[in-house]
Amino acid sequence: MPTIYSMTQANYGMYRFAQKSGYSLFGGAGAAGSQGAGSLFGARSSRATNGLSSLLNAQSGTNAYALMNLKANTRSVLKSYHEASDGFYKTFDAAMSALSKSTASLKNTNFNVTGATEADTKANTDAALKNVKDFVSNYNDTIKMFGDYSDVSSRAAGMEKLFGDASYKADTLRQVGITVNSPAGTLSVNDAALTKALKEEPNRVENLLGKDGLAGATEKKVDFAKTQRDKIFPSAQQMLGPNYRRALAYTSAGSLTSMNAYANVGTLLSMFF
């Protein structure tokens, strides 16, 4: 069984070897200033891991001040991750809630706007237009929301494509005043064209936009997105990769005391060996 003396000597020896060889145990260039020097958090890393490495500034010393900086920087990285994660889930839940409500309203819209009087027809038309425009607004917000997170999550990128996939109906939707915009697949409404279609071809509009059309298809997409909620934004371990366990070690209770104690013992031993 290794003694504390032998473990400390090995720990300090590794540190001295790293310094002399141009490596840094705390990230960045080593004492030799060599390019591409190895670091505690690795050179091959994801975008998020690069963010971790950049926050963990080079700490070539082994004193308490350097270790405190390392611990503070690591905590900052984990805090930033949790803030980003919380922000995503709040945005996701709000987007899904808004789109679900507007989709339900669109499904239940009375597209047969012709009433007993001209005033009734206008009121029915205005109500149908509002439901369509509210739906389009929330639909576009959902696509943008997933697009905003596509750089950090392949699942978010997939959701962006899923919700933006209405191009196959672009020609028919355009005939009732709905334009599918490339490349994201967002929608826009031509009020005059939609009003004309509502008055002249209400059944066609309902088939394209109602429960058997765009609203029905979107409802299924929302239901699917909700089942994927906990998988869309990557976990801290997925984002930080091999750095995750190290980050936990450097932010655990007592880590600073233990690290500094080993460093001080190592310094003491260097006076005799």
Side-chain angles (χ1 to χ4, degrees), residues 6-194:
S6 65
M7 289 189 293
T8 306
Q9 186 177 38
N11 178 70
Y12 186 70
M14 183 169 61
Y15 164 73
R16 296 291 293 173
F17 172 80
Q19 275 199 321
K20 292 178 180 180
S21 302
Y23 287 78
S24 169
L25 297 182
F26 297 94
S34 60
Q35 295 297 321
S39 68
L40 178 66
F41 286 86
R44 296 183 180 276
S45 55
S46 66
R47 178 180 178 183
T49 305
N50 286 331
L52 176 61
S53 299
S54 67
L55 282 173
L56 294 173
N57 298 321
Q59 304 288 347
S60 59
T62 56
N63 54 51
Y65 179 76
L67 296 177
M68 286 175 66
N69 281 343
L70 176 61
K71 186 169 184 176
N73 286 335
T74 307
R75 279 181 170 171
S76 178
V77 172
L78 293 177
K79 180 181 178 182
S80 296
Y81 165 78
H82 289 301
E83 288 175 349
S85 176
D86 291 345
F88 167 77
Y89 287 117
K90 289 179 182 177
T91 304
F92 174 88
D93 291 341
M96 292 298 100
S97 176
L99 186 56
S100 292
K101 290 178 181 178
S102 58
T103 297
S105 295
L106 187 59
K107 281 179 62 180
N108 295 321
T109 296
N110 177 18
F111 293 99
N112 189 1
V113 298
T114 303
T117 65
E118 185 175 335
D120 290 339
T121 299
K122 183 179 184 307
N124 293 338
T125 301
D126 289 345
L129 282 171
K130 181 181 184 304
N131 287 348
V132 172
K133 294 172 81 169
D134 286 348
F135 168 84
V136 166
S137 176
N138 292 322
Y139 185 88
N140 291 344
D141 287 346
T142 298
I143 293 175
K144 183 179 184 302
M145 182 267 294
F146 284 124
D148 289 343
Y149 287 95
S150 61
D151 285 346
V152 296
S153 169
S154 58
R155 290 181 183 271
M159 287 295 173
E160 180 188 18
K161 292 180 181 178
L162 175 67
F163 278 89
D165 185 22
S167 57
Y168 66 99
K169 285 190 174 182
D171 291 338
T172 53
L173 289 172
R174 188 181 299 110
Q175 294 172 14
V176 296
I178 307 295
T179 300
V180 179
N181 305 302
S182 298
T186 57
L187 307 176
S188 55
V189 181
N190 182 317
D191 288 18
L194 179 55

Side-chain angles (χ1 to χ4, degrees), residues 235-250:
S235 66
Q237 187 167 5
Q238 288 173 324
M239 288 193 76
L240 302 180
N243 298 329
Y244 180 67
R245 291 184 181 275
R246 297 185 181 102
L248 292 182
Y250 277 94

Side-chain angles (χ1 to χ4, degrees), residues 209-228:
L209 303 183
K211 62 182 179 65
D212 296 323
L214 190 58
T218 300
E219 183 177 52
K220 293 177 182 178
K221 294 177 182 179
V222 170
D223 289 343
F224 175 71
K226 288 179 178 178
T227 67
Q228 300 298 301

